[in-house]
Amino acid sequence: MDVGGNGGGLIVNKQRAMIPNKSRGEFVRNQRKDSEGFSESPDLEFEYADTDKWSAELSELYSYTEGPEFLLNRKCFEEEFRTHVSDKKWTELDVAQHRAHAMRLLDGLEVITREKRLKVSRAILYMVQGTFAECSSEAEVQHWMRYNIFLLLDVGTFTALVELLNMEVDNSAACSSAVRKPAISLADSTDLRVLLNIMYLMVVTIQQEDPADSAEWRATRETFKTELGSPLYNNEPISVMLFGMVTKFCSGHAPHFPMKKVLMLLWKSILFTLGGFEQLQNIKVRKREELRLPPLPEDSIRVIRSMRAASPPASASDLIEQQQKRARREHKSLIKQDNLDAFNEKDPYKSDDPREDEDDNDDNDNSMEAEPFPMERDEVMPPPILHPPSERVNFPKGLPWAPKVREKDIEHFLESSRSKFIGYTLGNDTDTVVGLPRPIHESIRTLKQHKYISIAEIQIAKEDEFQKTPLSGGEEDVEMCSTELLYQGILPSLPQYMIALLKILLAAAPTSKAKTDSINILADVLPEEMPTTVLQSMKLGVDVNRHKEIIVKAISAILLLLLKHFKLNHVYQFEYMAQHLVFANCIPLILKFFNQNIISYITAKNSISVLDFPYCVVHELPELTAESLEAGDNNQFCWRNLFSCINLLRILNKLTKWKHSRTMMLVVFKSAPILKRALKVKQAMMQLYVLKLLKVQTKYLGRQWRKSNMKTMSAIYQKVRHRLNDDWAYGNDLDARPWDFQAEECALRANIERFNSRRYDNNQRNPDFLPVDNCLQSVLGQRVDLPEDFQMNYDLWLEREVFSKPISWEELLQ
């Protein structure tokens, strides 16, 4: 599969012989530039995690337009503080005084006057921001943030904030005013922004674990985590209330909602209550133990972190240029053919390790077409050079992933073997091997050795059993964990929530064109007065782009977390959400997102580091110039954009895995060239998920595509997990046939609906399975509430239905 890997190419060796004045290293570098069309870019030093650094997550909450509000918050706090406390600083008071003032501020939230309430909210926000005026460094700000937030949580501030947020969401006057306004700005969402800022900072800070935390703080964190995921606030988890805000915003009834802050709080709430990727791995291990399944073959997080990025394949223009150069080189090599034969035995400029030759030839995507196969050139190939073992570099052996086999794959293999050798089949029997040749026995043994039973397969089998035997199956033991509570909360409106999230994602995507009917997601970034100078316009432009990037980051993380947690909790919960994402055109939307210059998106510099919180509140701000804004920061890449891209690729993988109808959507929407361009990003994790998406559709792309993309095929072989018996590279798979894809989705939908109605719909139980009362006295003795209009017209009913109709009592008694 690794084309060009054996013995190098004769043309390359001959070229080396013709260029004796060049050093080996320089030759290799030039050769790579010629073959790829671009110089090697370094690997991106990116480590995928649940979130970015704490300071980065804090700074992304605020838009740069909100900068002046930091001083306004400080002023509100100091006015309240001076009224009740002496001239001491906040940092100089003891714990009792701190607690007393926090209680006073909490009481102030319950006043009727809106202006007074906003002032107190701003004072609390200044506390949550770390009372930065009394701090001299960012570390000190973060220390006081943690202290003040745990103090405010202890006195019950978060519950009061949720009630206030509910009140603001239901504020019909503010909604109707915003709907009538031609242009919405920051000023329209002031109250909401202050409340959401406090809540976000509290959730993010409490979630952050520190080894130095006291036992009391650790207990507080666990209690808060449980409460946040439970239906304690307004009889629903807080995530459900935030989803409601998202749909209200998208419906056009509340265009003033600060959507970036809502989405960021929603993301952090889900992450805190359900857990991140490390916790998901732990839950998976625990569930497999409970179901008595074999342990996982490897820790996927560690495997991905240890992978290295592959060199990106050449683009079409590179390939044309490369073919022209190759033709010129071949012409030159043929002229000097006689003189070069002497070099066949041993090339004086050849290095001791032939693997470097393999690297050179690997860089050519089309090397299969240019060179004869090794068997055809035995007479002209130089003899292999033996190397002492000490000179070899020790590379890790084998592929990164253990291969997997499904029960279905073993069944298919046995069915085809039996029909071929014996002429009959045994259905789902995977044990009987009578009459089959010995090599088939060994194949079956190998397949069974790598058989992988997923949690989803067990869940589907149990659900089928419940559907078949509703009476004797017994009651299902449902664990009321945070994921289950969240699913129950969002189940009635899940389709609307998915559509709303995708609408906002579409509006925030850099490839989207501004349309009159698209929703305005810039309500919490545009100032009241638009910029008048070039510098202000540039600053606002950076702010708007950064704002959109943060929205994409939050939505991609929300969708991925929900899909992964629902899949572990119950596969049909995952399928329900995934199907509604597919119905809402999530697959073409993600492909549209990637149909851009993805390198430019990942290296975008839409941030002004001196304006980021908490840097901007503890340092003297330098004067901003147009040059400094254009230069941006010195980072190799933008963390949030690379994080978003990986999340969207993982979502696409989740939606299409084992779903041939959805895989065909990737083919129909011509995703292969879009995904292949994304391989130019030299980051191993992103490349892995791109290669996975290419692997599932190679069988549909035709032989010519596979032939001209051998480097990509080789990368798939090296980096993606192998499924034994999966004929992905040749297109001979039975599943590659054009089945009725609509039937596949309909069957899945029917299974999901049966699951949801059985487990969650208590009102629509099957009447055939309800107990029947056969006692005549009991039935006649039941009290039936009749409607008022029936009671008023009872005489008419008697006349029409009883007296005017002849009754044959003999027949009735019989």
Side-chain angles (χ1 to χ4, degrees), residues 201-231:
L201 292 172
M202 289 182 80
V203 170
V204 170
T205 307
I206 293 165
Q207 181 187 4
Q208 194 80 14
E209 294 186 17
D210 191 327
D213 286 350
S214 64
E216 187 184 351
W217 280 14
R218 288 198 189 97
T220 303
R221 179 184 294 113
E222 288 304 314
T223 306
F224 181 58
K225 178 180 175 179
T226 307
E227 289 178 354
L228 206 60
S230 303

PDB file of all heavy atoms in Angstrom, residues 201-231:
ATOM      1  N   LEU A 201     -18.574  33.175  34.675  1.00  0.00           N
ATOM      2  CA  LEU A 201     -17.332  33.211  35.462  1.00  0.00           C
ATOM      3  C   LEU A 201     -17.419  32.285  36.672  1.00  0.00           C
ATOM      4  O   LEU A 201     -16.433  31.647  37.047  1.00  0.00           O
ATOM      5  CB  LEU A 201     -17.032  34.649  35.910  1.00  0.00           C
ATOM      6  CG  LEU A 201     -16.648  35.622  34.785  1.00  0.00           C
ATOM      7  CD1 LEU A 201     -16.558  37.048  35.303  1.00  0.00           C
ATOM      8  CD2 LEU A 201     -15.318  35.221  34.152  1.00  0.00           C
ATOM      9  N   MET A 202     -18.599  32.190  37.270  1.00  0.00           N
ATOM     10  CA  MET A 202     -18.765  31.293  38.421  1.00  0.00           C
ATOM     11  C   MET A 202     -18.616  29.829  37.985  1.00  0.00           C
ATOM     12  O   MET A 202     -17.886  29.052  38.622  1.00  0.00           O
ATOM     13  CB  MET A 202     -20.122  31.528  39.087  1.00  0.00           C
ATOM     14  CG  MET A 202     -20.215  32.847  39.835  1.00  0.00           C
ATOM     15  SD  MET A 202     -21.798  33.095  40.679  1.00  0.00           S
ATOM     16  CE  MET A 202     -21.564  32.105  42.152  1.00  0.00           C
ATOM     17  N   VAL A 203     -19.273  29.448  36.893  1.00  0.00           N
ATOM     18  CA  VAL A 203     -19.220  28.047  36.437  1.00  0.00           C
ATOM     19  C   VAL A 203     -17.793  27.665  36.037  1.00  0.00           C
ATOM     20  O   VAL A 203     -17.271  26.620  36.447  1.00  0.00           O
ATOM     21  CB  VAL A 203     -20.194  27.820  35.247  1.00  0.00           C
ATOM     22  CG1 VAL A 203     -19.975  26.454  34.614  1.00  0.00           C
ATOM     23  CG2 VAL A 203     -21.638  27.950  35.717  1.00  0.00           C
ATOM     24  N   VAL A 204     -17.135  28.532  35.242  1.00  0.00           N
ATOM     25  CA  VAL A 204     -15.791  28.224  34.744  1.00  0.00           C
ATOM     26  C   VAL A 204     -14.784  28.148  35.889  1.00  0.00           C
ATOM     27  O   VAL A 204     -13.911  27.274  35.913  1.00  0.00           O
ATOM     28  CB  VAL A 204     -15.353  29.291  33.711  1.00  0.00           C
ATOM     29  CG1 VAL A 204     -13.887  29.146  33.366  1.00  0.00           C
ATOM     30  CG2 VAL A 204     -16.185  29.165  32.459  1.00  0.00           C
ATOM     31  N   THR A 205     -14.905  29.050  36.857  1.00  0.00           N
ATOM     32  CA  THR A 205     -13.930  29.096  37.954  1.00  0.00           C
ATOM     33  C   THR A 205     -14.131  27.933  38.919  1.00  0.00           C
ATOM     34  O   THR A 205     -13.157  27.319  39.366  1.00  0.00           O
ATOM     35  CB  THR A 205     -14.050  30.439  38.710  1.00  0.00           C
ATOM     36  OG1 THR A 205     -13.944  31.502  37.758  1.00  0.00           O
ATOM     37  CG2 THR A 205     -12.955  30.583  39.744  1.00  0.00           C
ATOM     38  N   ILE A 206     -15.372  27.609  39.242  1.00  0.00           N
ATOM     39  CA  ILE A 206     -15.626  26.497  40.174  1.00  0.00           C
ATOM     40  C   ILE A 206     -15.238  25.170  39.526  1.00  0.00           C
ATOM     41  O   ILE A 206     -14.749  24.259  40.193  1.00  0.00           O
ATOM     42  CB  ILE A 206     -17.107  26.497  40.618  1.00  0.00           C
ATOM     43  CG1 ILE A 206     -17.396  27.744  41.459  1.00  0.00           C
ATOM     44  CG2 ILE A 206     -17.446  25.254  41.428  1.00  0.00           C
ATOM     45  CD1 ILE A 206     -18.852  28.051  41.647  1.00  0.00           C
ATOM     46  N   GLN A 207     -15.422  25.078  38.212  1.00  0.00           N
ATOM     47  CA  GLN A 207     -15.057  23.852  37.491  1.00  0.00           C
ATOM     48  C   GLN A 207     -13.547  23.608  37.537  1.00  0.00           C
ATOM     49  O   GLN A 207     -13.096  22.470  37.533  1.00  0.00           O
ATOM     50  CB  GLN A 207     -15.514  23.982  36.032  1.00  0.00           C
ATOM     51  CG  GLN A 207     -15.215  22.761  35.187  1.00  0.00           C
ATOM     52  CD  GLN A 207     -15.520  22.998  33.720  1.00  0.00           C
ATOM     53  OE1 GLN A 207     -15.876  24.094  33.317  1.00  0.00           O
ATOM     54  NE2 GLN A 207     -15.378  21.989  32.909  1.00  0.00           N
ATOM     55  N   GLN A 208     -12.762  24.706  37.584  1.00  0.00           N
ATOM     56  CA  GLN A 208     -11.301  24.594  37.564  1.00  0.00           C
ATOM     57  C   GLN A 208     -10.789  24.017  38.879  1.00  0.00           C
ATOM     58  O   GLN A 208     -10.903  24.645  39.927  1.00  0.00           O
ATOM     59  CB  GLN A 208     -10.711  26.005  37.344  1.00  0.00           C
ATOM     60  CG  GLN A 208      -9.260  26.012  36.976  1.00  0.00           C
ATOM     61  CD  GLN A 208      -9.041  25.704  35.513  1.00  0.00           C
ATOM     62  OE1 GLN A 208      -9.981  25.731  34.732  1.00  0.00           O
ATOM     63  NE2 GLN A 208      -7.812  25.399  35.151  1.00  0.00           N
ATOM     64  N   GLU A 209     -10.231  22.827  38.817  1.00  0.00           N
ATOM     65  CA  GLU A 209      -9.717  22.184  40.028  1.00  0.00           C
ATOM     66  C   GLU A 209      -8.291  22.649  40.310  1.00  0.00           C
ATOM     67  O   GLU A 209      -7.508  22.850  39.385  1.00  0.00           O
ATOM     68  CB  GLU A 209      -9.755  20.661  39.882  1.00  0.00           C
ATOM     69  CG  GLU A 209     -11.167  20.111  39.787  1.00  0.00           C
ATOM     70  CD  GLU A 209     -11.206  18.590  39.785  1.00  0.00           C
ATOM     71  OE1 GLU A 209     -10.185  17.986  40.180  1.00  0.00           O
ATOM     72  OE2 GLU A 209     -12.233  18.029  39.383  1.00  0.00           O
ATOM     73  N   ASP A 210      -8.003  22.809  41.602  1.00  0.00           N
ATOM     74  CA  ASP A 210      -6.674  23.232  42.042  1.00  0.00           C
ATOM     75  C   ASP A 210      -6.269  22.333  43.202  1.00  0.00           C
ATOM     76  O   ASP A 210      -7.044  22.150  44.148  1.00  0.00           O
ATOM     77  CB  ASP A 210      -6.722  24.701  42.489  1.00  0.00           C
ATOM     78  CG  ASP A 210      -5.331  25.283  42.691  1.00  0.00           C
ATOM     79  OD1 ASP A 210      -4.436  24.523  43.101  1.00  0.00           O
ATOM     80  OD2 ASP A 210      -5.137  26.497  42.438  1.00  0.00           O
ATOM     81  N   PRO A 211      -5.057  21.767  43.150  1.00  0.00           N
ATOM     82  CA  PRO A 211      -4.622  20.898  44.265  1.00  0.00           C
ATOM     83  C   PRO A 211      -4.622  21.592  45.616  1.00  0.00           C
ATOM     84  O   PRO A 211      -4.748  20.952  46.660  1.00  0.00           O
ATOM     85  CB  PRO A 211      -3.190  20.492  43.863  1.00  0.00           C
ATOM     86  CG  PRO A 211      -3.122  20.716  42.383  1.00  0.00           C
ATOM     87  CD  PRO A 211      -4.059  21.830  42.076  1.00  0.00           C
ATOM     88  N   ALA A 212      -4.498  22.944  45.589  1.00  0.00           N
ATOM     89  CA  ALA A 212      -4.452  23.691  46.853  1.00  0.00           C
ATOM     90  C   ALA A 212      -5.839  23.973  47.426  1.00  0.00           C
ATOM     91  O   ALA A 212      -5.946  24.564  48.506  1.00  0.00           O
ATOM     92  CB  ALA A 212      -3.701  25.006  46.638  1.00  0.00           C
ATOM     93  N   ASP A 213      -6.906  23.574  46.736  1.00  0.00           N
ATOM     94  CA  ASP A 213      -8.264  23.831  47.237  1.00  0.00           C
ATOM     95  C   ASP A 213      -8.497  23.116  48.556  1.00  0.00           C
ATOM     96  O   ASP A 213      -8.042  21.979  48.755  1.00  0.00           O
ATOM     97  CB  ASP A 213      -9.302  23.349  46.210  1.00  0.00           C
ATOM     98  CG  ASP A 213      -9.394  24.277  45.014  1.00  0.00           C
ATOM     99  OD1 ASP A 213      -8.819  25.369  45.065  1.00  0.00           O
ATOM    100  OD2 ASP A 213     -10.027  23.882  44.012  1.00  0.00           O
ATOM    101  N   SER A 214      -9.240  23.779  49.429  1.00  0.00           N
ATOM    102  CA  SER A 214      -9.576  23.178  50.723  1.00  0.00           C
ATOM    103  C   SER A 214     -10.638  22.091  50.526  1.00  0.00           C
ATOM    104  O   SER A 214     -11.302  22.029  49.484  1.00  0.00           O
ATOM    105  CB  SER A 214     -10.103  24.241  51.674  1.00  0.00           C
ATOM    106  OG  SER A 214     -11.317  24.781  51.183  1.00  0.00           O
ATOM    107  N   ALA A 215     -10.807  21.245  51.537  1.00  0.00           N
ATOM    108  CA  ALA A 215     -11.823  20.181  51.480  1.00  0.00           C
ATOM    109  C   ALA A 215     -13.219  20.780  51.351  1.00  0.00           C
ATOM    110  O   ALA A 215     -14.095  20.218  50.672  1.00  0.00           O
ATOM    111  CB  ALA A 215     -11.728  19.313  52.731  1.00  0.00           C
ATOM    112  N   GLU A 216     -13.413  21.948  51.986  1.00  0.00           N
ATOM    113  CA  GLU A 216     -14.726  22.619  51.923  1.00  0.00           C
ATOM    114  C   GLU A 216     -15.036  23.052  50.490  1.00  0.00           C
ATOM    115  O   GLU A 216     -16.156  22.887  50.004  1.00  0.00           O
ATOM    116  CB  GLU A 216     -14.699  23.836  52.853  1.00  0.00           C
ATOM    117  CG  GLU A 216     -16.056  24.521  52.994  1.00  0.00           C
ATOM    118  CD  GLU A 216     -15.980  25.780  53.843  1.00  0.00           C
ATOM    119  OE1 GLU A 216     -14.925  26.030  54.468  1.00  0.00           O
ATOM    120  OE2 GLU A 216     -16.987  26.515  53.873  1.00  0.00           O
ATOM    121  N   TRP A 217     -14.021  23.607  49.808  1.00  0.00           N
ATOM    122  CA  TRP A 217     -14.226  24.035  48.424  1.00  0.00           C
ATOM    123  C   TRP A 217     -14.497  22.838  47.514  1.00  0.00           C
ATOM    124  O   TRP A 217     -15.308  22.923  46.600  1.00  0.00           O
ATOM    125  CB  TRP A 217     -13.004  24.812  47.924  1.00  0.00           C
ATOM    126  CG  TRP A 217     -12.982  26.247  48.381  1.00  0.00           C
ATOM    127  CD1 TRP A 217     -13.757  26.797  49.359  1.00  0.00           C
ATOM    128  CD2 TRP A 217     -12.165  27.292  47.865  1.00  0.00           C
ATOM    129  NE1 TRP A 217     -13.460  28.134  49.497  1.00  0.00           N
ATOM    130  CE2 TRP A 217     -12.479  28.473  48.597  1.00  0.00           C
ATOM    131  CE3 TRP A 217     -11.172  27.370  46.892  1.00  0.00           C
ATOM    132  CZ2 TRP A 217     -11.856  29.690  48.354  1.00  0.00           C
ATOM    133  CZ3 TRP A 217     -10.550  28.597  46.659  1.00  0.00           C
ATOM    134  CH2 TRP A 217     -10.891  29.743  47.382  1.00  0.00           C
ATOM    135  N   ARG A 218     -13.801  21.727  47.762  1.00  0.00           N
ATOM    136  CA  ARG A 218     -14.025  20.533  46.933  1.00  0.00           C
ATOM    137  C   ARG A 218     -15.459  20.025  47.101  1.00  0.00           C
ATOM    138  O   ARG A 218     -16.120  19.645  46.130  1.00  0.00           O
ATOM    139  CB  ARG A 218     -13.029  19.434  47.324  1.00  0.00           C
ATOM    140  CG  ARG A 218     -11.606  19.703  46.883  1.00  0.00           C
ATOM    141  CD  ARG A 218     -10.765  18.424  46.890  1.00  0.00           C
ATOM    142  NE  ARG A 218      -9.365  18.735  46.666  1.00  0.00           N
ATOM    143  CZ  ARG A 218      -8.453  18.864  47.629  1.00  0.00           C
ATOM    144  NH1 ARG A 218      -8.804  18.688  48.898  1.00  0.00           N
ATOM    145  NH2 ARG A 218      -7.200  19.154  47.351  1.00  0.00           N
ATOM    146  N   ALA A 219     -15.937  20.036  48.336  1.00  0.00           N
ATOM    147  CA  ALA A 219     -17.316  19.602  48.601  1.00  0.00           C
ATOM    148  C   ALA A 219     -18.311  20.550  47.940  1.00  0.00           C
ATOM    149  O   ALA A 219     -19.324  20.119  47.369  1.00  0.00           O
ATOM    150  CB  ALA A 219     -17.559  19.538  50.108  1.00  0.00           C
ATOM    151  N   THR A 220     -18.006  21.864  48.014  1.00  0.00           N
ATOM    152  CA  THR A 220     -18.870  22.869  47.375  1.00  0.00           C
ATOM    153  C   THR A 220     -18.934  22.636  45.868  1.00  0.00           C
ATOM    154  O   THR A 220     -20.003  22.749  45.254  1.00  0.00           O
ATOM    155  CB  THR A 220     -18.336  24.289  47.668  1.00  0.00           C
ATOM    156  OG1 THR A 220     -18.253  24.488  49.075  1.00  0.00           O
ATOM    157  CG2 THR A 220     -19.220  25.356  47.061  1.00  0.00           C
ATOM    158  N   ARG A 221     -17.783  22.307  45.275  1.00  0.00           N
ATOM    159  CA  ARG A 221     -17.739  22.062  43.829  1.00  0.00           C
ATOM    160  C   ARG A 221     -18.636  20.893  43.442  1.00  0.00           C
ATOM    161  O   ARG A 221     -19.414  20.976  42.482  1.00  0.00           O
ATOM    162  CB  ARG A 221     -16.300  21.785  43.385  1.00  0.00           C
ATOM    163  CG  ARG A 221     -16.170  21.493  41.891  1.00  0.00           C
ATOM    164  CD  ARG A 221     -14.756  21.124  41.469  1.00  0.00           C
ATOM    165  NE  ARG A 221     -13.858  22.244  41.642  1.00  0.00           N
ATOM    166  CZ  ARG A 221     -12.861  22.277  42.527  1.00  0.00           C
ATOM    167  NH1 ARG A 221     -12.636  21.233  43.315  1.00  0.00           N
ATOM    168  NH2 ARG A 221     -12.093  23.331  42.624  1.00  0.00           N
ATOM    169  N   GLU A 222     -18.548  19.802  44.170  1.00  0.00           N
ATOM    170  CA  GLU A 222     -19.345  18.623  43.857  1.00  0.00           C
ATOM    171  C   GLU A 222     -20.846  18.887  44.023  1.00  0.00           C
ATOM    172  O   GLU A 222     -21.658  18.447  43.217  1.00  0.00           O
ATOM    173  CB  GLU A 222     -18.916  17.441  44.738  1.00  0.00           C
ATOM    174  CG  GLU A 222     -17.559  16.859  44.378  1.00  0.00           C
ATOM    175  CD  GLU A 222     -17.462  16.427  42.927  1.00  0.00           C
ATOM    176  OE1 GLU A 222     -18.401  15.756  42.446  1.00  0.00           O
ATOM    177  OE2 GLU A 222     -16.468  16.776  42.265  1.00  0.00           O
ATOM    178  N   THR A 223     -21.193  19.624  45.087  1.00  0.00           N
ATOM    179  CA  THR A 223     -22.603  19.973  45.322  1.00  0.00           C
ATOM    180  C   THR A 223     -23.135  20.839  44.186  1.00  0.00           C
ATOM    181  O   THR A 223     -24.244  20.617  43.665  1.00  0.00           O
ATOM    182  CB  THR A 223     -22.753  20.716  46.665  1.00  0.00           C
ATOM    183  OG1 THR A 223     -22.161  19.931  47.689  1.00  0.00           O
ATOM    184  CG2 THR A 223     -24.208  20.979  46.998  1.00  0.00           C
ATOM    185  N   PHE A 224     -22.338  21.843  43.789  1.00  0.00           N
ATOM    186  CA  PHE A 224     -22.742  22.760  42.725  1.00  0.00           C
ATOM    187  C   PHE A 224     -22.894  22.012  41.401  1.00  0.00           C
ATOM    188  O   PHE A 224     -23.836  22.251  40.634  1.00  0.00           O
ATOM    189  CB  PHE A 224     -21.703  23.879  42.593  1.00  0.00           C
ATOM    190  CG  PHE A 224     -22.030  24.905  41.543  1.00  0.00           C
ATOM    191  CD1 PHE A 224     -23.211  25.627  41.602  1.00  0.00           C
ATOM    192  CD2 PHE A 224     -21.164  25.150  40.490  1.00  0.00           C
ATOM    193  CE1 PHE A 224     -23.519  26.580  40.634  1.00  0.00           C
ATOM    194  CE2 PHE A 224     -21.462  26.087  39.517  1.00  0.00           C
ATOM    195  CZ  PHE A 224     -22.645  26.798  39.595  1.00  0.00           C
ATOM    196  N   LYS A 225     -21.976  21.078  41.140  1.00  0.00           N
ATOM    197  CA  LYS A 225     -22.033  20.277  39.912  1.00  0.00           C
ATOM    198  C   LYS A 225     -23.330  19.471  39.860  1.00  0.00           C
ATOM    199  O   LYS A 225     -23.998  19.401  38.818  1.00  0.00           O
ATOM    200  CB  LYS A 225     -20.813  19.346  39.877  1.00  0.00           C
ATOM    201  CG  LYS A 225     -20.749  18.420  38.679  1.00  0.00           C
ATOM    202  CD  LYS A 225     -19.499  17.559  38.751  1.00  0.00           C
ATOM    203  CE  LYS A 225     -19.447  16.538  37.649  1.00  0.00           C
ATOM    204  NZ  LYS A 225     -18.227  15.717  37.714  1.00  0.00           N
ATOM    205  N   THR A 226     -23.703  18.872  40.991  1.00  0.00           N
ATOM    206  CA  THR A 226     -24.939  18.077  41.045  1.00  0.00           C
ATOM    207  C   THR A 226     -26.165  18.966  40.843  1.00  0.00           C
ATOM    208  O   THR A 226     -27.093  18.618  40.097  1.00  0.00           O
ATOM    209  CB  THR A 226     -25.033  17.351  42.402  1.00  0.00           C
ATOM    210  OG1 THR A 226     -23.824  16.614  42.618  1.00  0.00           O
ATOM    211  CG2 THR A 226     -26.211  16.405  42.436  1.00  0.00           C
ATOM    212  N   GLU A 227     -26.169  20.120  41.520  1.00  0.00           N
ATOM    213  CA  GLU A 227     -27.317  21.028  41.412  1.00  0.00           C
ATOM    214  C   GLU A 227     -27.468  21.573  39.992  1.00  0.00           C
ATOM    215  O   GLU A 227     -28.575  21.736  39.490  1.00  0.00           O
ATOM    216  CB  GLU A 227     -27.161  22.182  42.403  1.00  0.00           C
ATOM    217  CG  GLU A 227     -27.349  21.773  43.863  1.00  0.00           C
ATOM    218  CD  GLU A 227     -27.138  22.934  44.820  1.00  0.00           C
ATOM    219  OE1 GLU A 227     -26.739  24.022  44.346  1.00  0.00           O
ATOM    220  OE2 GLU A 227     -27.369  22.754  46.031  1.00  0.00           O
ATOM    221  N   LEU A 228     -26.327  21.854  39.357  1.00  0.00           N
ATOM    222  CA  LEU A 228     -26.361  22.427  38.009  1.00  0.00           C
ATOM    223  C   LEU A 228     -26.963  21.454  36.999  1.00  0.00           C
ATOM    224  O   LEU A 228     -27.643  21.858  36.055  1.00  0.00           O
ATOM    225  CB  LEU A 228     -24.931  22.801  37.586  1.00  0.00           C
ATOM    226  CG  LEU A 228     -24.748  23.917  36.564  1.00  0.00           C
ATOM    227  CD1 LEU A 228     -25.332  25.225  37.083  1.00  0.00           C
ATOM    228  CD2 LEU A 228     -23.279  24.115  36.231  1.00  0.00           C
ATOM    229  N   GLY A 229     -26.747  20.154  37.215  1.00  0.00           N
ATOM    230  CA  GLY A 229     -27.285  19.156  36.300  1.00  0.00           C
ATOM    231  C   GLY A 229     -28.638  18.611  36.698  1.00  0.00           C
ATOM    232  O   GLY A 229     -29.213  17.787  35.980  1.00  0.00           O
ATOM    233  N   SER A 230     -29.167  19.041  37.841  1.00  0.00           N
ATOM    234  CA  SER A 230     -30.465  18.544  38.330  1.00  0.00           C
ATOM    235  C   SER A 230     -31.564  19.548  38.034  1.00  0.00           C
ATOM    236  O   SER A 230     -31.297  20.745  37.894  1.00  0.00           O
ATOM    237  CB  SER A 230     -30.396  18.299  39.842  1.00  0.00           C
ATOM    238  OG  SER A 230     -29.348  17.403  40.137  1.00  0.00           O
ATOM    239  N   PRO A 231     -32.809  19.105  37.971  1.00  0.00           N
ATOM    240  CA  PRO A 231     -33.921  20.040  37.701  1.00  0.00           C
ATOM    241  C   PRO A 231     -34.326  20.841  38.937  1.00  0.00           C
ATOM    242  O   PRO A 231     -35.471  20.825  39.346  1.00  0.00           O
ATOM    243  CB  PRO A 231     -35.041  19.114  37.213  1.00  0.00           C
ATOM    244  CG  PRO A 231     -34.743  17.801  37.830  1.00  0.00           C
ATOM    245  CD  PRO A 231     -33.266  17.706  37.998  1.00  0.00           C
TER     246      PRO A 231
END
